[in-house]
Amino acid sequence: MNSPENIRNVIRYLQKFRNAVSVIYLDDRTIGSALYSSHIRDIALLHEAGLKVVIVPGARSRIDEVLSGKQIEWHYKDNIRVTDEDAMPLIKMAAFDVSNAIMTSLAANGITAIIGNWVRARAKGILGGFDFGTAGEIERLETSAIRTVLDDGFIPVFPCIGWNTVGHPYNISSVSLAQQVAVSLGADKLFFVMFDGQISTSRYDIPAEFSLSETGEVPAMNLEEVDLFLAANVSKNPDASDEDVRFSIAMLLKAAQEACRKGVTRAHIVDGALDGVLPCEIFSDLGSGTMIYTSNYGKIRGMNQTDIPAVLAVMRPFIASGKLLLRTEADLSAHIEDFVVYELDGGVHACAALRLYDDGQAEIAAVAVDESFAHMGIGPKLVDFLLKRADDADAKSVFIMTTQAADWFEKLGFLPDSLESIPAERRAIWTKGRNSKVYRLPLKNRKKRGEI
């Protein structure tokens, strides 16, 4: 059974992404998989929910098939297909075959798609003495025409073909095309749907500082972490097929990184071998793939009155287990200035409070993180944020009182202290029934160590 918060999240995301532009790249293995029709149905549902969807299908397998059938040779240079001119009509036919198949599948779901010649291209030419033949590069996109198609309620589909000003066609990279379409349209979302495209510890060496899901997937990377991943990653399975996947993931990560640097709000790499990955990635906070982002993924801010129901929902399981004191809506409202929350895409998923005392002590309390987000390191971020706030307020030390989280606070640098050390007004509400222990962190030591 879905929890009320899950339902609220879906509604919140429906409101957030109505009329948002989402560019979706489907790799050829996903298109050829048993889940293809399910992904198309999901795309149709996203369109019906109010998202403005653009599709860029990969056509490598179909082009390979057509060229092989005509016994036309090709090879790859820097992952770019190189052929003679006589292959171009067949490449164009294969690319449009795939786009037509996408259009037909959408029509079966009641959605109208349009294939257009919106891509202006030029020859890649000769680089370092090597002739790239029919391979092309995108020169510009007919953005206004694409927007008109979107505003009219249709889904644009882009074959991997571009034309120069005199109508000469070139074969272009579908990944680059998806990236540039997203940049040109100022897309809110760029999706790379790649079969077996999960980024996890089972296939890659993940840097130690990365946050992971419970099953070892990387839910998000900022732009700097993309560089760390690309520098550190070594495939653990040396067979050829795994190396192909590893190379493709690296290519998609670079494309996602570049798109975000040029203004795309967020890019996502999701696994086409999993059913429902697109709606899960859009309509849930944690998603189902790896998100690439520029701005802070989640933010810490002061709590306001409208946050209180969500904060109480986060606290509820911790209160029930005895980890937190019972707090009511009136309690939170009366001390609203003490509380901070962790917000992700408009939803509150963690909280903590800082109380300052007249004798120079400060207390961090009510630290609670939604269990689904516990792997993301939000708790330490909240504590560090409040330690900085306490230091800015000239507090000499910060203490906490806990019944079940002593090990966690010790890991953050807090050390045991006596009950007599805390302010008298706080000691007055201590109860033998809870028997909370005191832990303390002197702020002057943090300064000496250069931690803040």
Short mmCIF file of all heavy atoms in Angstrom, two decimals, residues 365-410:
data_model
loop_
_atom_site.label_atom_id
_atom_site.label_comp_id
_atom_site.label_asym_id
_atom_site.label_seq_id
_atom_site.Cartn_x
_atom_site.Cartn_y
_atom_site.Cartn_z
N ALA A 365 19.19 19.40 18.71
CA ALA A 365 18.14 18.47 19.10
C ALA A 365 17.26 18.13 17.90
O ALA A 365 17.37 18.77 16.84
CB ALA A 365 17.29 19.07 20.22
N ALA A 366 16.40 17.14 18.09
CA ALA A 366 15.36 16.78 17.11
C ALA A 366 15.93 16.47 15.73
O ALA A 366 15.34 16.81 14.70
CB ALA A 366 14.31 17.89 17.02
N VAL A 367 17.09 15.81 15.68
CA VAL A 367 17.67 15.42 14.39
C VAL A 367 16.92 14.19 13.89
O VAL A 367 16.94 13.13 14.52
CB VAL A 367 19.17 15.10 14.51
CG1 VAL A 367 19.73 14.69 13.15
CG2 VAL A 367 19.93 16.30 15.08
N ALA A 368 16.25 14.33 12.76
CA ALA A 368 15.47 13.23 12.20
C ALA A 368 15.56 13.28 10.68
O ALA A 368 15.39 14.34 10.08
CB ALA A 368 14.02 13.31 12.66
N VAL A 369 15.81 12.12 10.08
CA VAL A 369 15.93 12.01 8.63
C VAL A 369 14.99 10.91 8.16
O VAL A 369 15.01 9.79 8.70
CB VAL A 369 17.37 11.69 8.19
CG1 VAL A 369 17.46 11.57 6.66
CG2 VAL A 369 18.34 12.75 8.70
N ASP A 370 14.17 11.22 7.18
CA ASP A 370 13.29 10.22 6.56
C ASP A 370 14.12 8.98 6.23
O ASP A 370 15.18 9.06 5.60
CB ASP A 370 12.69 10.82 5.29
CG ASP A 370 11.67 9.91 4.61
OD1 ASP A 370 11.78 8.68 4.75
OD2 ASP A 370 10.78 10.44 3.93
N GLU A 371 13.64 7.82 6.68
CA GLU A 371 14.40 6.58 6.52
C GLU A 371 14.81 6.32 5.07
O GLU A 371 15.88 5.78 4.80
CB GLU A 371 13.54 5.42 7.03
CG GLU A 371 14.29 4.10 7.13
CD GLU A 371 13.43 3.00 7.71
OE1 GLU A 371 12.53 2.53 6.98
OE2 GLU A 371 13.63 2.62 8.87
N SER A 372 13.97 6.71 4.12
CA SER A 372 14.27 6.47 2.71
C SER A 372 15.46 7.27 2.22
O SER A 372 16.04 6.98 1.18
CB SER A 372 13.05 6.81 1.85
OG SER A 372 11.95 6.00 2.18
N PHE A 373 15.85 8.31 3.00
CA PHE A 373 16.93 9.20 2.59
C PHE A 373 18.15 9.07 3.49
O PHE A 373 19.09 9.84 3.37
CB PHE A 373 16.44 10.65 2.58
CG PHE A 373 15.37 10.92 1.56
CD1 PHE A 373 14.06 10.51 1.78
CD2 PHE A 373 15.67 11.56 0.38
CE1 PHE A 373 13.07 10.74 0.84
CE2 PHE A 373 14.69 11.80 -0.57
CZ PHE A 373 13.39 11.38 -0.35
N ALA A 374 18.13 8.07 4.39
CA ALA A 374 19.19 7.95 5.38
C ALA A 374 20.56 7.72 4.76
O ALA A 374 21.59 8.08 5.35
CB ALA A 374 18.86 6.83 6.36
N HIS A 375 20.60 7.12 3.56
CA HIS A 375 21.88 6.79 2.92
C HIS A 375 22.57 8.00 2.30
O HIS A 375 23.71 7.90 1.84
CB HIS A 375 21.66 5.74 1.83
CG HIS A 375 20.80 6.24 0.70
ND1 HIS A 375 19.43 6.28 0.78
CD2 HIS A 375 21.13 6.74 -0.50
CE1 HIS A 375 18.95 6.77 -0.34
NE2 HIS A 375 19.95 7.06 -1.14
N MET A 376 21.89 9.15 2.26
CA MET A 376 22.40 10.30 1.51
C MET A 376 23.28 11.25 2.33
O MET A 376 23.71 12.28 1.84
CB MET A 376 21.23 11.08 0.90
CG MET A 376 20.48 10.31 -0.15
SD MET A 376 19.06 11.21 -0.80
CE MET A 376 19.86 12.70 -1.45
N GLY A 377 23.53 10.92 3.60
CA GLY A 377 24.39 11.77 4.42
C GLY A 377 23.75 13.07 4.83
O GLY A 377 24.46 14.05 5.13
N ILE A 378 22.42 13.11 4.89
CA ILE A 378 21.72 14.34 5.23
C ILE A 378 21.92 14.70 6.70
O ILE A 378 22.11 15.86 7.05
CB ILE A 378 20.22 14.22 4.90
CG1 ILE A 378 20.03 14.04 3.40
CG2 ILE A 378 19.45 15.44 5.39
CD1 ILE A 378 18.61 13.68 3.00
N GLY A 379 21.88 13.69 7.59
CA GLY A 379 22.04 13.95 9.02
C GLY A 379 23.32 14.70 9.34
O GLY A 379 23.28 15.74 10.00
N PRO A 380 24.49 14.20 8.89
CA PRO A 380 25.73 14.95 9.15
C PRO A 380 25.72 16.36 8.56
O PRO A 380 26.29 17.28 9.16
CB PRO A 380 26.80 14.07 8.48
CG PRO A 380 26.23 12.70 8.52
CD PRO A 380 24.75 12.88 8.31
N LYS A 381 25.07 16.52 7.42
CA LYS A 381 24.99 17.86 6.83
C LYS A 381 24.19 18.81 7.73
O LYS A 381 24.56 19.98 7.91
CB LYS A 381 24.35 17.80 5.44
CG LYS A 381 25.20 17.13 4.38
CD LYS A 381 24.46 17.04 3.05
CE LYS A 381 25.27 16.30 2.00
NZ LYS A 381 24.53 16.15 0.72
N LEU A 382 23.09 18.31 8.28
CA LEU A 382 22.29 19.13 9.18
C LEU A 382 23.08 19.51 10.43
O LEU A 382 23.06 20.66 10.87
CB LEU A 382 21.02 18.39 9.58
CG LEU A 382 19.91 18.26 8.54
CD1 LEU A 382 18.85 17.28 9.02
CD2 LEU A 382 19.28 19.61 8.24
N VAL A 383 23.78 18.52 11.02
CA VAL A 383 24.55 18.80 12.22
C VAL A 383 25.65 19.81 11.94
O VAL A 383 25.86 20.76 12.70
CB VAL A 383 25.13 17.48 12.79
CG1 VAL A 383 26.14 17.77 13.91
CG2 VAL A 383 24.02 16.59 13.31
N ASP A 384 26.35 19.63 10.83
CA ASP A 384 27.44 20.56 10.50
C ASP A 384 26.90 21.96 10.25
O ASP A 384 27.51 22.96 10.64
CB ASP A 384 28.19 20.06 9.26
CG ASP A 384 29.54 20.75 9.10
OD1 ASP A 384 30.38 20.59 10.00
OD2 ASP A 384 29.72 21.45 8.11
N PHE A 385 25.73 22.05 9.59
CA PHE A 385 25.10 23.34 9.36
C PHE A 385 24.80 24.04 10.68
O PHE A 385 25.07 25.24 10.84
CB PHE A 385 23.81 23.13 8.56
CG PHE A 385 23.07 24.39 8.22
CD1 PHE A 385 23.35 25.08 7.05
CD2 PHE A 385 22.09 24.90 9.06
CE1 PHE A 385 22.66 26.25 6.72
CE2 PHE A 385 21.40 26.06 8.76
CZ PHE A 385 21.69 26.74 7.58
N LEU A 386 24.28 23.29 11.65
CA LEU A 386 23.93 23.89 12.94
C LEU A 386 25.17 24.19 13.78
O LEU A 386 25.18 25.16 14.56
CB LEU A 386 22.97 22.98 13.70
CG LEU A 386 21.59 22.85 13.06
CD1 LEU A 386 20.70 21.93 13.87
CD2 LEU A 386 20.92 24.21 12.87
N LEU A 387 26.22 23.39 13.65
CA LEU A 387 27.47 23.71 14.33
C LEU A 387 28.04 25.03 13.82
O LEU A 387 28.54 25.86 14.60
CB LEU A 387 28.49 22.59 14.12
CG LEU A 387 28.22 21.28 14.87
CD1 LEU A 387 29.21 20.21 14.43
CD2 LEU A 387 28.29 21.47 16.38
N LYS A 388 27.95 25.24 12.53
CA LYS A 388 28.41 26.51 11.94
C LYS A 388 27.55 27.66 12.47
O LYS A 388 28.07 28.74 12.82
CB LYS A 388 28.31 26.42 10.42
CG LYS A 388 28.60 27.73 9.68
CD LYS A 388 30.08 27.94 9.51
CE LYS A 388 30.39 29.01 8.48
NZ LYS A 388 29.78 30.32 8.72
N ARG A 389 26.25 27.44 12.55
CA ARG A 389 25.36 28.48 13.06
C ARG A 389 25.68 28.79 14.52
O ARG A 389 25.70 29.95 14.94
CB ARG A 389 23.91 28.04 12.91
CG ARG A 389 22.90 29.01 13.47
CD ARG A 389 21.47 28.60 13.17
NE ARG A 389 21.12 28.82 11.76
CZ ARG A 389 19.89 28.66 11.27
NH1 ARG A 389 18.90 28.25 12.07
NH2 ARG A 389 19.66 28.90 10.00
N ALA A 390 25.94 27.76 15.32
CA ALA A 390 26.29 27.97 16.72
C ALA A 390 27.61 28.72 16.86
O ALA A 390 27.75 29.62 17.71
CB ALA A 390 26.38 26.62 17.45
N ASP A 391 28.57 28.38 16.03
CA ASP A 391 29.85 29.06 16.07
C ASP A 391 29.70 30.54 15.67
O ASP A 391 30.31 31.42 16.29
CB ASP A 391 30.83 28.37 15.12
CG ASP A 391 32.25 28.87 15.29
OD1 ASP A 391 32.86 28.59 16.32
OD2 ASP A 391 32.73 29.57 14.38
N ASP A 392 28.86 30.80 14.67
CA ASP A 392 28.61 32.18 14.26
C ASP A 392 27.94 32.98 15.38
O ASP A 392 28.07 34.20 15.43
CB ASP A 392 27.73 32.21 13.01
CG ASP A 392 28.47 31.73 11.77
OD1 ASP A 392 29.72 31.68 11.82
OD2 ASP A 392 27.81 31.39 10.77
N ALA A 393 27.21 32.26 16.25
CA ALA A 393 26.54 32.93 17.38
C ALA A 393 27.44 33.00 18.61
O ALA A 393 26.98 33.34 19.70
CB ALA A 393 25.26 32.19 17.72
N ASP A 394 28.74 32.66 18.44
CA ASP A 394 29.75 32.71 19.50
C ASP A 394 29.50 31.72 20.63
O ASP A 394 29.92 31.95 21.78
CB ASP A 394 29.85 34.13 20.09
CG ASP A 394 30.38 35.14 19.08
OD1 ASP A 394 31.24 34.75 18.26
OD2 ASP A 394 29.94 36.30 19.10
N ALA A 395 28.83 30.63 20.33
CA ALA A 395 28.69 29.58 21.33
C ALA A 395 30.04 28.93 21.57
O ALA A 395 30.86 28.78 20.65
CB ALA A 395 27.68 28.53 20.87
N LYS A 396 30.29 28.52 22.82
CA LYS A 396 31.57 27.91 23.16
C LYS A 396 31.59 26.41 22.87
O LYS A 396 32.64 25.85 22.57
CB LYS A 396 31.88 28.16 24.64
CG LYS A 396 32.05 29.64 24.99
CD LYS A 396 32.27 29.82 26.48
CE LYS A 396 32.39 31.30 26.85
NZ LYS A 396 32.52 31.49 28.32
N SER A 397 30.44 25.80 23.02
CA SER A 397 30.35 24.37 22.76
C SER A 397 28.91 24.01 22.44
O SER A 397 27.98 24.78 22.71
CB SER A 397 30.84 23.56 23.97
OG SER A 397 29.95 23.73 25.06
N VAL A 398 28.76 22.83 21.84
CA VAL A 398 27.43 22.32 21.51
C VAL A 398 27.26 20.95 22.16
O VAL A 398 28.17 20.11 22.09
CB VAL A 398 27.24 22.19 19.99
CG1 VAL A 398 25.91 21.53 19.65
CG2 VAL A 398 27.34 23.56 19.33
N PHE A 399 26.12 20.74 22.81
CA PHE A 399 25.85 19.42 23.37
C PHE A 399 24.60 18.83 22.75
O PHE A 399 23.76 19.54 22.19
CB PHE A 399 25.71 19.49 24.91
CG PHE A 399 24.48 20.19 25.40
CD1 PHE A 399 23.29 19.48 25.64
CD2 PHE A 399 24.49 21.56 25.67
CE1 PHE A 399 22.16 20.12 26.11
CE2 PHE A 399 23.36 22.21 26.14
CZ PHE A 399 22.18 21.49 26.35
N ILE A 400 24.51 17.52 22.84
CA ILE A 400 23.31 16.81 22.42
C ILE A 400 22.92 15.87 23.53
O ILE A 400 23.75 15.49 24.38
CB ILE A 400 23.52 16.04 21.10
CG1 ILE A 400 24.63 14.98 21.24
CG2 ILE A 400 23.84 16.98 19.97
CD1 ILE A 400 24.14 13.60 21.59
N MET A 401 21.65 15.46 23.55
CA MET A 401 21.18 14.47 24.51
C MET A 401 20.50 13.36 23.72
O MET A 401 19.64 13.62 22.88
CB MET A 401 20.21 15.10 25.51
CG MET A 401 20.83 16.27 26.26
SD MET A 401 19.82 16.87 27.64
CE MET A 401 20.03 15.54 28.82
N THR A 402 20.95 12.13 23.97
CA THR A 402 20.46 11.02 23.15
C THR A 402 20.27 9.76 23.98
O THR A 402 20.97 9.56 24.99
CB THR A 402 21.44 10.74 21.99
OG1 THR A 402 20.92 9.69 21.19
CG2 THR A 402 22.82 10.35 22.50
N THR A 403 19.34 8.95 23.53
CA THR A 403 19.13 7.63 24.16
C THR A 403 19.67 6.50 23.29
O THR A 403 20.08 5.47 23.81
CB THR A 403 17.63 7.39 24.42
OG1 THR A 403 16.91 7.44 23.17
CG2 THR A 403 17.07 8.42 25.39
N GLN A 404 19.66 6.67 21.96
CA GLN A 404 20.00 5.55 21.08
C GLN A 404 20.98 5.91 19.96
O GLN A 404 21.31 5.04 19.14
CB GLN A 404 18.71 5.00 20.45
CG GLN A 404 17.69 4.49 21.46
CD GLN A 404 16.40 4.06 20.79
OE1 GLN A 404 16.41 3.37 19.77
NE2 GLN A 404 15.27 4.45 21.37
N ALA A 405 21.43 7.16 19.89
CA ALA A 405 22.28 7.57 18.77
C ALA A 405 23.68 8.00 19.21
O ALA A 405 24.35 8.76 18.52
CB ALA A 405 21.61 8.72 18.00
N ALA A 406 24.14 7.47 20.35
CA ALA A 406 25.44 7.88 20.87
C ALA A 406 26.57 7.57 19.89
O ALA A 406 27.45 8.40 19.65
CB ALA A 406 25.71 7.18 22.20
N ASP A 407 26.55 6.37 19.30
CA ASP A 407 27.62 6.01 18.35
C ASP A 407 27.65 6.95 17.17
O ASP A 407 28.73 7.32 16.68
CB ASP A 407 27.40 4.57 17.86
CG ASP A 407 27.61 3.55 18.97
OD1 ASP A 407 28.31 3.87 19.93
OD2 ASP A 407 27.06 2.43 18.85
N TRP A 408 26.47 7.32 16.68
CA TRP A 408 26.38 8.20 15.52
C TRP A 408 26.99 9.56 15.83
O TRP A 408 27.78 10.11 15.05
CB TRP A 408 24.92 8.34 15.10
CG TRP A 408 24.71 9.04 13.80
CD1 TRP A 408 24.85 8.54 12.55
CD2 TRP A 408 24.31 10.42 13.62
NE1 TRP A 408 24.56 9.49 11.60
CE2 TRP A 408 24.22 10.66 12.23
CE3 TRP A 408 24.01 11.45 14.50
CZ2 TRP A 408 23.86 11.88 11.70
CZ3 TRP A 408 23.64 12.69 13.97
CH2 TRP A 408 23.56 12.89 12.58
N PHE A 409 26.68 10.11 17.03
CA PHE A 409 27.23 11.42 17.38
C PHE A 409 28.72 11.35 17.70
O PHE A 409 29.47 12.29 17.42
CB PHE A 409 26.44 12.01 18.56
CG PHE A 409 25.13 12.64 18.15
CD1 PHE A 409 23.93 11.99 18.39
CD2 PHE A 409 25.10 13.86 17.50
CE1 PHE A 409 22.72 12.55 18.01
CE2 PHE A 409 23.90 14.43 17.10
CZ PHE A 409 22.71 13.78 17.36
N GLU A 410 29.15 10.24 18.27
CA GLU A 410 30.59 10.08 18.51
C GLU A 410 31.37 10.09 17.20
O GLU A 410 32.46 10.64 17.10
CB GLU A 410 30.87 8.79 19.27
CG GLU A 410 30.55 8.88 20.76
CD GLU A 410 31.03 7.66 21.53
OE1 GLU A 410 31.16 6.59 20.91
OE2 GLU A 410 31.28 7.80 22.73
#
